[in-house]
Amino acid sequence: MVRLARAADRGLVATAGPRYFGFVIGGSLPVTVATEWLAAAWAQNAGNYSASPPASVVEEVAGSWLRTLFGLPATASVGFVTGGTMANFTALAAARHAVLNSVGYDVGSNGLFDAPRINVLGGAEAHTTIFVALRMLGLGSDRLTKVLVDGQGRMRPDELRRALDTSSGPTIVCAQAGNVNTARSTRSARS
């Protein structure tokens, strides 16, 4: 049994340590472990109010805090997702519906088969989850037109303007003000 445990240890990655630079992954804290235990013990399906009124109320309160923090109107919708992929998926799905609706096409009723072509603009260093979301939404990962970025991974406004000027029809912009490598490269430059 000890030999099996040692073999398993060799396959583990210490992602919570300060020297781990592979991905942006949060470490476990006592409070996060406690919330995981509570979530498992309560076994709530937080998908809607009738399945879990407490989870829905917590989401409503947290959403209100976020609207206040960001100065958003009280009518703004707030939803919590599982991570970056679903955040980009949700945002792109909402954008897809909005831009198609703006040209008189109801994707919810009609699907994508006869939909107008949608332009998608994003930074040349766009996160991989953008491409995953585009595939899952039926738009295709090749749909993204890459906009040049500066040395910090930020989309260059002049290049975004040029891309917008050459696009016609419904257009979605995946705004990017940096990337996961920006902080590390900035830190290295100061050392």
Side-chain angles (χ1 to χ4, degrees):
M1 187 66 159
V2 172
R3 188 170 49 185
L4 191 60
R6 286 187 193 137
D9 285 347
R10 285 194 297 266
L12 299 177
V13 178
T15 60
R19 304 282 311 147
Y20 180 77
F21 300 116
F23 296 99
V24 181
I25 298 174
S28 295
L29 300 171
V31 69
T32 61
V33 172
T35 58
E36 288 290 331
W37 287 347
L38 284 173
W42 288 341
Q44 297 293 292
N45 181 341
N48 59 32
Y49 188 88
S50 61
S52 179
S56 295
V57 170
V58 167
E59 186 173 294
E60 289 170 7
V61 170
S64 175
W65 291 342
L66 290 171
R67 283 191 293 272
T68 300
L69 178 67
F70 293 116
L72 299 171
T75 56
S77 296
V78 175
F80 294 94
V81 296
T82 56
T85 299
M86 287 315 297
N88 284 325
F89 176 88
T90 303
L92 282 165
R96 179 190 67 184
H97 278 64
V99 298
L100 289 176
N101 187 54
S102 73
V103 294
Y105 188 85
D106 184 352
V107 70
S109 296
N110 301 319
L112 289 173
F113 290 110
D114 295 320
R117 177 180 166 76
I118 299 173
N119 304 301
V120 182
L121 307 176
E125 296 179 5
H127 195 267
T128 187
T129 59
I130 295 290
F131 301 99
V132 170
L134 289 170
R135 283 192 298 273
M136 289 192 299
L137 289 167
L139 298 173
S141 57
D142 288 345
R143 176 73 59 197
L144 186 82
T145 298
K146 295 180 180 178
V147 177
L148 292 177
V149 297
D150 65 13
Q152 293 296 309
R154 300 172 294 208
M155 284 196 313
R156 291 181 34 195
D158 59 325
E159 292 295 328
L160 176 58
R161 171 55 42 210
R162 187 188 60 72
L164 285 168
D165 289 344
T166 59
S167 297
S168 63
T171 301
I172 297 170
V173 176
C174 298
Q176 181 172 319
N179 61 41
V180 297
N181 299 316
T182 301
R184 188 170 0 145
S185 62
T186 302
R187 191 176 307 126
S188 297
R190 288 187 203 152
S191 298

